[in-house]
Amino acid sequence: MKLTYVTGNYGKYYAMKRRLKNQNIDIEWAQLELSEPEIDDVAVVSKEKARQAYNTLKKPCFVMDSGFYIEAYPEKPGYPGAMVKRSGIAYNVEALLKTMEGVENRSCKFVDCLTFYDGKIFSQFFHESPGMLSHEIRGTLRETAQSRLWLVFILEGYDITIAQMSEKERLAMDDGRISSVEKFVKWYKEKCV
């Protein structure tokens, strides 16, 4: 079965296709406009988007959503969470850095949720990538970039932003945890292939 990955972000599709190709899983890209519920829960958002995608495509598919949590965001710890896109922070990292001026605690994390739906059962896989918020924009975004936040996010264990990494370094980066994609691949090969 060929898998369908639903995302409006070509960078996310490109990265996913490369990762799954190494696992001998072929995917196709479906670019759909999916609405997001106004809720700060990445699992609920991802599940709703997978349901919408399946209802449109009428075939098994998966989506991947991310939240970005800034531990010491002024007056809103953990902000923007699952509302990273709707908050505008993902697009306006300059304003984010301005807001965070003078804040010593730069701890933040991405939380990914991959949701597969076959019309009957939802299967969800999670991954957290802890790190730090840089004090300035660093690096350059390529076509394969998944977020402008890569310009300011330093993954735990590294001293450069994701945007400063070469494509090879980025694809090989390791935060010592099993990613949501790896968890999904293991499950998919056991249950669906």
Side-chain angles (χ1 to χ4, degrees), residues 3-6 16 42-51 53-54 60-65 112-118 121-126 180-181 184 187:
L3 282 170
T4 302
Y5 179 33
V6 179
M16 186 69 72
V42 73
V44 172
V45 170
S46 187
K47 189 173 184 179
E48 172 57 21
K49 288 171 71 176
R51 185 191 61 73
Y54 178 86
C61 57
F62 68 99
V63 301
M64 187 156 181
D65 285 280
D112 297 326
C113 177
L114 186 153
T115 303
F116 175 85
Y117 185 48
D118 64 3
I121 297 171
F122 289 96
S123 298
Q124 293 188 300
F125 307 88
F126 299 90
S180 55
V181 176
F184 168 67
W187 171 85

Side-chain angles (χ1 to χ4, degrees), residues 71-85:
E71 192 172 295
Y73 192 90
E75 299 179 29
K76 295 180 186 176
Y79 189 77
M83 301 199 293
V84 65
K85 192 188 295 184

Side-chain angles (χ1 to χ4, degrees), residues 10-34:
Y10 177 78
K12 287 183 179 181
Y13 164 72
Y14 177 81
M16 186 69 72
K17 185 161 183 70
R18 285 189 69 165
R19 288 180 83 176
L20 294 183
K21 185 177 182 180
N22 293 336
Q23 297 290 331
N24 296 316
I25 297 173
D26 193 24
I27 65 170
E28 61 186 10
W29 182 27
Q31 189 174 8
L32 301 174
E33 287 297 321
L34 304 172

Side-chain angles (χ1 to χ4, degrees), residues 11-178:
K12 287 183 179 181
Y13 164 72
Y14 177 81
M16 186 69 72
K17 185 161 183 70
R18 285 189 69 165
R19 288 180 83 176
L20 294 183
K21 185 177 182 180
N22 293 336
Q23 297 290 331
N24 296 316
I25 297 173
D26 193 24
I27 65 170
E28 61 186 10
W29 182 27
Q31 189 174 8
L32 301 174
E33 287 297 321
L34 304 172
S35 63
E36 293 187 3
E38 295 287 326
I39 189 164
D40 187 19
D41 185 329
V42 73
V44 172
V45 170
S46 187
K47 189 173 184 179
E48 172 57 21
K49 288 171 71 176
R51 185 191 61 73
Q52 290 175 47
Y54 178 86
N55 288 343
T56 300
L57 300 172
K58 306 296 186 214
K59 60 182 175 180
C61 57
F62 68 99
V63 301
M64 187 156 181
D65 285 280
S66 295
F68 188 64
Y69 301 81
I70 303 168
E71 192 172 295
Y73 192 90
E75 299 179 29
K76 295 180 186 176
Y79 189 77
M83 301 199 293
V84 65
K85 192 188 295 184
R86 287 169 277 154
S87 71
I89 283 176
Y91 307 110
N92 194 346
V93 293
E94 296 83 1
L96 169 60
L97 292 177
K98 185 87 172 141
T99 300
M100 293 296 292
E101 279 181 3
V103 177
E104 282 187 44
N105 181 354
R106 311 295 283 187
S107 295
C108 55
K109 66 182 176 183
F110 277 103
V111 176
D112 297 326
C113 177
L114 186 153
T115 303
F116 175 85
Y117 185 48
D118 64 3
K120 296 178 184 169
I121 297 171
F122 289 96
S123 298
Q124 293 188 300
F125 307 88
F126 299 90
H127 176 73
E128 288 189 11
S129 298
M132 302 295 284
L133 194 65
S134 67
H135 289 274
E136 68 277 332
I137 291 173
R138 295 167 34 190
T140 306
L141 293 179
R142 297 178 217 31
E143 181 184 3
T144 56
Q146 297 177 24
S147 171
R148 288 200 79 234
L149 289 167
W150 283 11
L151 293 163
V152 295
F153 181 71
I154 302 168
L155 182 66
E156 188 175 83
Y158 292 82
D159 59 1
I160 59 174
T161 66
I162 296 175
Q164 289 177 289
M165 294 178 179
S166 69
E167 191 72 7
K168 185 177 180 180
E169 287 173 314
R170 190 186 63 73
L171 291 171
M173 69 184 183
D174 181 13
D175 65 3
R177 296 165 177 82
I178 298 173

